[in-house]
């Protein structure tokens, strides 16, 4: 029983994945309003007649609200002014495929500063790659940091402030997946997948809580909404990011 403003996509994503991996495992999710007068009776009545095809059902003011997906046409978007120009951005997972794409776009939009971070040490090989990608661009910095460790994030914050004065936006691209079916998945692999997405975003939010951020962008996945066989942990952690964004706002 939760307040209607709350969400629990993390658990739903895990259950959807479990169903994809084993269709014999079915489930349903019923959410009750926190001011429900007779929650147990209401829940039992709904459970008896529950349509498992709905997957997710909210009860509010005697209404049933089911989760469905609808296409959004990619038309009618107006061109707005450049909101990135002269801003400073931190990109986690900055040397990964997604992070590099984001960094390229930010530079095209004339950001003032770009801090890329990842767990890889800043060795000769990485510096050569940075030089190949960005040349001798003084506005691009790389910092080796494990965002699942609070101390590393505190040091990262200090580095950003020393070199750029402030960070205007954080784009959280860091992630890890260890694909295998839930029945075979090791707990250690599950924890490794959770670390950058869950612990990482909580650390970033805590360390930058007093800064005047204009953007805090979290890269999730369609697996958070649909589930994905072999990626139960990855689906769940991205579901958490969706929940966190809702509650954080």
């Amino acid at each position: 029983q939760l307040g209607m403003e709350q969400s629990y996509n993390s658990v739903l994503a895990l259950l959807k994945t479990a169903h994809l991996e084993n269709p014999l495992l079915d489930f349903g999710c019923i959410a009750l309003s926190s001011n429900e007068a007779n929650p147990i009776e209401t829940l039992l009545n709904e459970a008896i007649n529950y349509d498992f095809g709905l997957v997710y059902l909210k009860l509010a003011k005697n209404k049933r609200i089911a989760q469905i997906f609808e296409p959004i046409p990619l038309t009618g978007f107006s061109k707005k002014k450049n909101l990135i120009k002269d801003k400073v951005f931190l990109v986690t997972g900055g040397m990964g495929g997604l992070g590099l794409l984001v960094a390229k776009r930010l530079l095209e939009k004339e950001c003032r500063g770009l801090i890329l971070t990842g767990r890889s040490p800043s060795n000769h090989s990485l510096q050569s790659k940075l030089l190949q990608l960005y040349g001798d661009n003084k506005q691009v910095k790389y910092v080796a940091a494990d965002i699942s460790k609070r101390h590393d994030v505190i040091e990262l914050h200090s580095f950003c402030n020393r070199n750029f004065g402030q960070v205007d936006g954080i784009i959280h691209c860091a992630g890890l997946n260890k694909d295998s079916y839930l029945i075979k998945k090791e707990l250690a692999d599950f924890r490794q997948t959770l670390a950058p997405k869950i612990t990482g975003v909580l650390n970033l939010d805590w360390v930058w809580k007093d800064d005047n951020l204009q953007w805090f962008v979290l890269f999730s996945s369609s697996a958070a909404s649909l589930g994905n066989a072999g990626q139960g942990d990855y689906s769940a952690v991205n579901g958490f990011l969706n929940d966190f964004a809702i509650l954080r706002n």
Side-chain angles (χ1 to χ4, degrees), residues 12-212:
L12 275 175
L14 183 62
L15 291 172
K16 289 175 182 178
T17 297
H19 176 71
L20 291 173
E21 294 179 0
N22 182 359
L24 296 178
L25 176 62
D26 218 337
F27 71 95
C29 182
I30 302 173
L32 303 181
S33 174
S34 57
N35 58 8
E36 176 66 43
N38 300 298
I40 296 178
E41 180 181 350
T42 301
L43 181 61
L44 287 174
N45 288 336
E46 289 296 329
I48 291 172
N49 301 300
Y50 190 77
D51 178 0
F52 284 92
L54 291 176
V55 177
Y56 181 51
L57 178 69
K58 284 185 179 182
L59 303 180
K61 298 180 180 179
N62 297 319
K63 293 183 179 180
R64 293 171 176 81
I65 306 172
Q67 184 188 67
I68 61 173
F69 296 97
E70 292 182 341
I72 298 177
L74 296 178
T75 57
F77 290 97
S78 60
K79 291 184 178 181
K80 297 182 179 179
K81 66 177 183 179
N82 188 350
L83 300 177
I84 294 172
K85 187 176 181 179
D86 298 328
K87 305 296 183 183
V88 177
F89 289 88
L90 168 67
V91 180
T92 70
M95 296 303 292
L98 185 57
L100 291 174
L101 287 174
V102 170
K104 180 176 182 291
R105 186 62 171 167
L106 292 174
L107 289 171
E108 288 173 352
K109 289 293 185 178
E110 304 178 70
C111 66
R112 178 171 67 86
L114 183 59
I115 306 101
L116 308 176
T117 185
R119 293 182 300 163
S120 300
S122 183
N123 52 28
H124 177 73
S125 175
L126 188 141
Q127 289 300 324
S128 296
K129 185 175 182 180
L130 286 171
L131 186 62
Q132 180 184 1
L133 290 168
Y134 306 113
D136 191 24
N137 193 333
K138 302 299 184 185
Q139 71 190 104
V140 180
K141 304 288 186 182
Y142 176 81
V143 181
D146 184 345
I147 59 169
S148 68
K149 297 178 180 178
R150 179 69 60 86
H151 178 267
D152 280 20
V153 181
I154 292 172
E155 290 295 318
L156 178 61
H157 180 268
S158 298
F159 176 90
C160 295
N161 287 347
R162 286 196 309 271
N163 286 271
F164 295 99
Q166 68 173 20
V167 168
D168 298 296
I170 295 176
I171 302 182
H172 185 36
C173 301
L176 179 69
N177 57 295
K178 298 268 190 174
D179 293 0
S180 67
Y181 273 36
L182 289 168
I183 196 171
K184 297 179 180 179
K185 193 171 291 289
E186 298 289 339
L187 181 58
D189 289 342
F190 207 106
R191 287 174 172 164
Q192 285 183 46
T193 305
L194 265 61
K197 291 279 191 179
I198 295 181
T199 312
V201 75
L202 294 175
N203 284 338
L204 291 167
D205 184 58
W206 187 86
V207 172
W208 263 271
K209 65 182 183 299
D210 296 323
D211 290 47
N212 186 29

